[in-house]
Amino acid sequence: MKTFFVTGGAGFIGSAFVRLLLEEYDDCRIVNYDALTYAGNPDNLAGLNPDRHRFVCADITDPEAVLANLDENTDVIVNFAAESHVDRSINSAAEFLQTNIAGTQVLLDAARARGVKRFVQISTDEVMGSLPEDDDKFFTEASPFAPNSPYAASKAAAEHLVRAAHHTFGLDTVVTRCGNNYGPRQFPEKFLPLALANAMKDDSIPIYGDGRNVRDWIYVEDHCRAILAALEKGRAGAVYNIGARNERRNIEVAEALLDALGKPRSLIKFVKDRLGHDRRYAIDPSLAETELGWRPRETWATGLEKTINWYRENGPWIEKVRNLAYRDYYKAQYGTEVTVD
Ligand code: NAD
Ligand code: TDX
């Protein structure tokens, strides 16, 4: 039997990972440790078996709470907990430094104190900065760090702390760096679910700048399977870039969503650019493919279809997360209101 301590497991990717663990291991036990910030959502955990999945509402920056909930026999910590939205980090960086940096160190210290066998850090391609447009360059594990937003800088700092814990104390660590995830249960502050939720209500889709920025999109379950492969087969101290070789310009993403929904492209609205907006992310996942034997299962077409179907079938989930706090955030960020039921 394996025991997992998953942080941030009530968020978008963490909740998909917890589901995958419960599917893949008949006898695993999971402590799902999440502070339920604005992005954490208990509805994301509906229906999970309480005998094998224990939810704890607490903060990773609280060392006592972490130690109180981290058993001696824990096999793996998987750290998803983070402030994850670039625009919010531009508005205010403080929480990003606390959770993403200080919180990661708390978890590393606790892992050593409890003799946890492996520590998996969920990082991002953004730590490597931005690539030139229309180029054949990709991010590899050897790409230098060049974070451009406070979010990316905080995730880069966290990676350095993980590296230091491995080098100095011999903690068994693995880092995964993924690109832009999409799929069910993604909070609609991120571009794809925001565009989808807006278009479903005939609200406009705000596109920053010229809309030609490129992101490398991956279906969330494919990312989770890569994390599982890294957790099981990754070398101690290694970093793995995870991507589905699926570069798209933002404008193409918006057009694909509108076409699939049968909505007019006139819903696209160009708005003021994000400060410091990274131009292109593109990942070379060769190492994960060769060392971990991992491959994505979904194509852009199948992943998008699954995602759109999920949002179509889960109107109440969307309406619930587009609460007063969300509507205030939206108004402050975009200067317009979103339509809610
Ligand atoms: P998310 O914002 O949906 O979820 C984050 C979760 O962490 C939430 O449930 C929140 O309540 C929890 N959390 C935040 N601060 C906490 C704290 N101090 N203590 C405990 N829990 C806390 O994020 P996501 O999109 O699911 O991303 C998960 C991880 O994957 C993050 O580390 C992010 O940097 C990384 N990542 C995300 C993407 C992406 O495209 N979304 C891509 C690459 C890497
Ligand atoms: O309203 C918008 N309009 C727009 O054009 C928003 C919210 C975004 N965008 C653009 C900015 C980016 O070029 O769309 C692209 C995607 O934006 P986000 O969804 O905010 O993602 P990004 O900034 O690329 O970062 C994401 O990928 C790496 C995740 O949010 C991070 O958590 C992850 O680490």
Side-chain angles (χ1 to χ4, degrees):
M1 187 183 77
K2 269 205 186 274
T3 59
F4 295 93
F5 188 85
V6 178
T7 70
F12 163 51
I13 307 174
S15 64
F17 183 74
V18 163
R19 270 201 185 71
L20 182 66
L21 281 182
L22 290 168
E23 259 170 52
E24 293 291 315
Y25 295 99
D26 288 341
D27 58 350
C28 73
R29 288 197 192 288
I30 302 169
V31 173
N32 183 347
Y33 186 100
D34 191 302
L36 293 182
T37 68
Y38 78 91
N41 186 347
D43 290 350
N44 292 350
L45 306 171
L48 299 188
N49 180 348
D51 295 338
R52 297 171 56 209
H53 171 263
R54 182 164 76 85
F55 182 74
V56 177
C57 181
D59 202 303
I60 61 164
T61 63
D62 180 344
E64 279 157 27
V66 169
L67 284 172
N69 287 288
L70 184 64
D71 296 340
E72 294 279 354
N73 61 0
T74 300
D75 292 290
V76 189
I77 293 180
V78 190
N79 182 26
F80 290 92
E83 288 293 333
S84 67
H85 192 41
V86 172
D87 290 327
R88 289 187 195 251
S89 80
I90 294 168
N91 296 337
S92 167
E95 300 91 330
F96 288 75
L97 273 56
Q98 266 309 108
T99 290
N100 300 4
I101 306 176
T104 298
Q105 187 60 46
V106 167
L107 294 173
L108 290 165
D109 290 342
R112 287 203 296 128
R114 290 284 183 266
V116 172
K117 297 189 189 76
R118 172 157 272 198
F119 187 100
V120 180
Q121 172 70 4
I122 309 306
S123 192
T124 168
D125 56 359
E126 297 193 23
V127 301
M128 298 172 280
S130 182
L131 291 165
E133 200 176 351
D134 298 327
D135 196 2
D136 57 1
K137 289 204 176 57
F138 294 89
F139 292 134
T140 72
E141 289 74 6
S143 298
F145 275 65
N148 286 324
S149 70
Y151 162 72
S154 70
K155 294 293 289 186
E159 268 202 49
H160 287 314
L161 294 171
V162 172
R163 179 189 159 90
H166 175 69
H167 183 86
T168 303
F169 302 109
L171 188 68
D172 180 325
T173 62
V174 175
V175 174
T176 60
R177 285 186 197 147
C178 192
N180 289 59
N181 284 227
Y182 67 101
R185 302 180 189 83
Q186 186 169 25
F187 192 81
E189 63 185 350
K190 304 290 184 337
F191 178 57
L192 197 146
L194 183 148
L196 193 47
N198 281 17
M200 282 167 59
K201 292 269 184 228
D202 298 306
D203 279 342
S204 62
I205 297 178
I207 304 253
Y208 295 157
D210 65 3
R212 292 176 62 76
N213 301 64
V214 175
R215 295 295 183 265
D216 198 344
W217 296 90
I218 183 169
Y219 190 66
V220 63
E221 276 175 32
D222 282 328
H223 179 197
C224 290
R225 284 186 192 282
I227 296 167
L228 201 52
L231 182 161
E232 285 173 343
K233 301 181 209 159
R235 272 175 296 114
V239 175
Y240 295 96
N241 283 357
I242 313 295
R245 302 181 198 274
N246 182 35
E247 288 181 63
R248 307 275 158 188
R249 294 189 192 280
N250 294 336
I251 187 81
E252 285 175 56
V253 173
E255 287 171 357
L257 292 172
L258 289 168
D259 293 353
L261 292 172
K263 302 280 183 179
R265 290 187 177 186
S266 56
L267 283 177
I268 290 173
K269 184 178 162 202
F270 290 95
V271 300
K272 191 160 71 70
D273 207 355
R274 172 185 282 175
L275 291 177
H277 196 174
D278 282 342
R279 195 62 177 168
R280 172 171 169 252
Y281 303 147
I283 295 159
D284 177 355
S286 309
L287 187 68
E289 290 171 353
T290 51
E291 269 195 24
L292 307 176
W294 168 85
R295 290 281 187 294
R297 294 185 179 179
E298 303 298 337
T299 63
W300 177 233
T302 61
L304 212 51
E305 191 184 352
K306 284 186 175 181
T307 305
I308 292 172
N309 287 343
W310 189 88
Y311 280 90
R312 274 184 158 150
E313 287 158 15
N314 288 275
W317 184 96
I318 306 176
E319 288 316 305
K320 204 163 156 192
V321 297
R322 299 209 310 176
N323 56 19
L324 202 56
Y326 177 81
R327 299 202 296 268
D328 286 347
Y329 164 78
Y330 194 95
K331 183 89 203 302
Q333 183 68 22
Y334 298 98
T336 52
E337 312 269 353
V338 273
T339 304
V340 286
D341 282 340

